[in-house]
Amino acid sequence: MEINNQSSGERKLQCNDVTRCFQLLESILDGDLGENGKEVLKEKLDKCQPCFEHFHLEQAIREVLKTKCTKQPVPTELADSIRQMIQESK
Amino acid sequence: MSEVQRRKYTQEERTAIFDGEFMPHIDSMYNFAFRLTFDEDDAKDLVQDTYMKAFRFINSFEQGTNAKAWLFRILKNSFINEYRKKSKQPAKVDYQEVETFYNSDDVDYQSTTDLRAESVKDMLGDEISNALNALAVDFRTVIILADLEGFTYEEMAKILDIPIGTVRSRLHRARNLLKDKLKGYAQSMGYNTDEEEE
Ligand SMILES: [Zn+2]
């Protein structure tokens, strides 16, 4: 999805219904609205500056959590020890 | 609890389900366990316990359904029932978080942070992880499930045994708390967090 970062000039600076809008944006980002969300999203992002900013912040948070959170390497013997416990319990 | 009476799996089927549907999730399971306990040995025990239970109750698992969600639910319940009690370090409770959490079911969407998307993107993995780990366990959990593991609201509701509306509001609160912590890092790094420069 291409979102033009520059053209904030035409957006209104006050959001009419922050609670409804932000909840909607967050549901869209969380994939809860499926395809239906996409049209609504475009409308909001084109016309409302607070929605635009909130969306990008929320998107960035999700992105860094997904990509940057340090992963803990799984101990190599864990899978084997589980299989062994299962064997012994049979 | 009324168990749905399914036909019992044969020995071969049990092994096939266990190896084919359960074991592939061991990475996610271990990371979830570690983020709950912050201890390698506890995380290992928790994952082992979970797999033992999964095997013992394998007949209540419907083959081909969401094994990962099923396993996560077992792990989360084991953590609450056993590990939370005997945890080596007493649970760090952030009273402000708990208070906000229990006092209302309505979520305040008005409270906007002045954190900027750009400064979030510039943060290091360690800063993100530390901020996440600093959250109270209930908030940490929903973020792990949603953002790190990609579960849907519906799956999270089942894993956590809470209504979908509660998933949504808890997740919203959790991310707001996370933003507050990230804002602290952003400020200490000298990123611009102000609304608008004149
Ligand atoms: Zn708006």
Side-chain angles (χ1 to χ4, degrees):
Chain A
M1 196 187 328
E2 268 300 310
I3 291 156
N4 188 354
N5 253 310
Q6 309 301 323
S7 65
S8 62
E10 291 161 35
R11 295 190 197 103
K12 55 186 163 69
L13 297 177
Q14 289 281 319
C15 185
N16 296 334
D17 192 349
V18 173
T19 302
R20 225 180 120 248
C21 282
F22 284 13
Q23 192 172 19
L24 191 71
L25 292 176
E26 288 173 31
S27 294
I28 291 170
L29 278 169
D30 289 334
D32 195 47
L33 293 185
E35 287 299 312
N36 294 338
K38 292 199 174 138
E39 278 178 47
V40 191
L41 180 64
K42 191 178 176 334
E43 165 90 10
K44 298 276 174 219
L45 297 189
D46 284 349
K47 300 199 171 149
C48 179
Q49 187 62 22
C51 277
F52 180 85
E53 285 175 12
H54 186 71
F55 180 82
H56 285 282
L57 175 59
E58 288 286 319
Q59 193 179 42
I61 301 252
R62 283 163 181 72
E63 190 62 26
V64 293
L65 280 164
K66 197 171 152 190
T67 57
K68 289 190 179 178
C69 254
T70 38
K71 284 229 161 61
Q72 204 66 24
V74 182
T76 46
E77 76 286 0
L78 184 58
D80 284 341
S81 76
I82 288 170
R83 285 205 174 84
Q84 200 182 336
M85 286 170 82
I86 299 293
Q87 275 305 322
E88 283 162 9
S89 78
K90 275 179 186 170
Chain B
M1 201 171 94
S2 64
E3 278 294 304
V4 183
Q5 206 53 49
R6 270 189 206 94
R7 70 178 182 87
K8 289 198 162 53
Y9 294 118
T10 64
Q11 192 67 250
E12 288 79 41
E13 285 171 331
R14 287 161 56 146
T15 309
I17 292 171
F18 197 84
D19 287 342
E21 298 192 47
F22 293 176
M23 287 308 273
H25 300 296
I26 194 165
D27 275 37
S28 296
M29 298 279 281
Y30 180 76
N31 271 273
F32 184 35
F34 187 82
R35 287 188 191 286
L36 290 174
T37 60
F38 299 125
D39 182 278
E40 285 180 30
D41 290 330
D42 285 347
K44 264 186 346 195
D45 289 349
L46 191 48
V47 172
Q48 272 176 354
D49 278 10
T50 304
Y51 274 102
M52 286 302 287
K53 283 178 188 154
F55 189 74
R56 202 181 322 145
F57 298 111
I58 201 161
N59 281 319
S60 63
F61 172 75
E62 199 177 333
Q63 194 166 12
T65 60
N66 194 334
K68 188 178 172 186
W70 194 74
L71 292 169
F72 267 64
R73 184 167 180 272
I74 300 176
L75 194 148
K76 173 232 109 196
N77 285 337
S78 300
F79 172 71
I80 289 174
N81 295 333
E82 293 148 43
Y83 288 84
R84 226 170 171 174
K85 283 175 207 153
K86 68 172 187 194
S87 179
K88 283 166 195 164
Q89 49 181 6
K92 265 193 300 175
V93 178
D94 185 327
Y95 288 101
Q96 204 197 333
E97 290 180 357
V98 173
E99 193 179 43
T100 336
F101 178 36
Y102 289 105
N103 273 0
S104 79
D105 213 36
D106 294 325
V107 179
D108 183 14
Y109 282 86
Q110 303 287 342
S111 59
T112 50
T113 56
D114 48 8
L115 184 64
R116 290 176 159 268
E118 289 71 34
S119 49
V120 171
K121 286 177 192 161
D122 286 339
M123 282 179 185
L124 304 171
D126 279 354
E127 293 172 316
I128 308 290
S129 288
N130 288 343
L132 175 61
N133 292 345
L135 297 181
V137 68
D138 285 340
F139 293 118
R140 196 162 70 235
T141 300
V142 285
I143 288 187
I144 295 169
L145 296 179
D147 295 328
L148 274 58
E149 299 299 339
F151 285 112
T152 64
Y153 288 173
E154 204 182 332
E155 289 166 339
M156 292 170 70
K158 284 183 186 149
I159 293 169
L160 302 172
D161 297 298
I162 55 177
I164 286 186
T166 309
V167 170
R168 190 183 290 115
S169 57
R170 195 180 293 180
L171 199 46
H172 174 79
R173 287 200 186 92
R175 293 211 183 94
N176 273 358
L177 292 162
L178 189 78
K179 278 184 236 168
D180 284 345
K181 312 235 183 248
L182 292 178
K183 195 166 70 177
Y185 294 131
Q187 278 161 348
S188 70
M189 296 288 289
Y191 296 128
N192 174 27
T193 57
D194 291 328
E195 288 281 273
E196 204 73 58
E197 295 235 304
E198 290 297 322

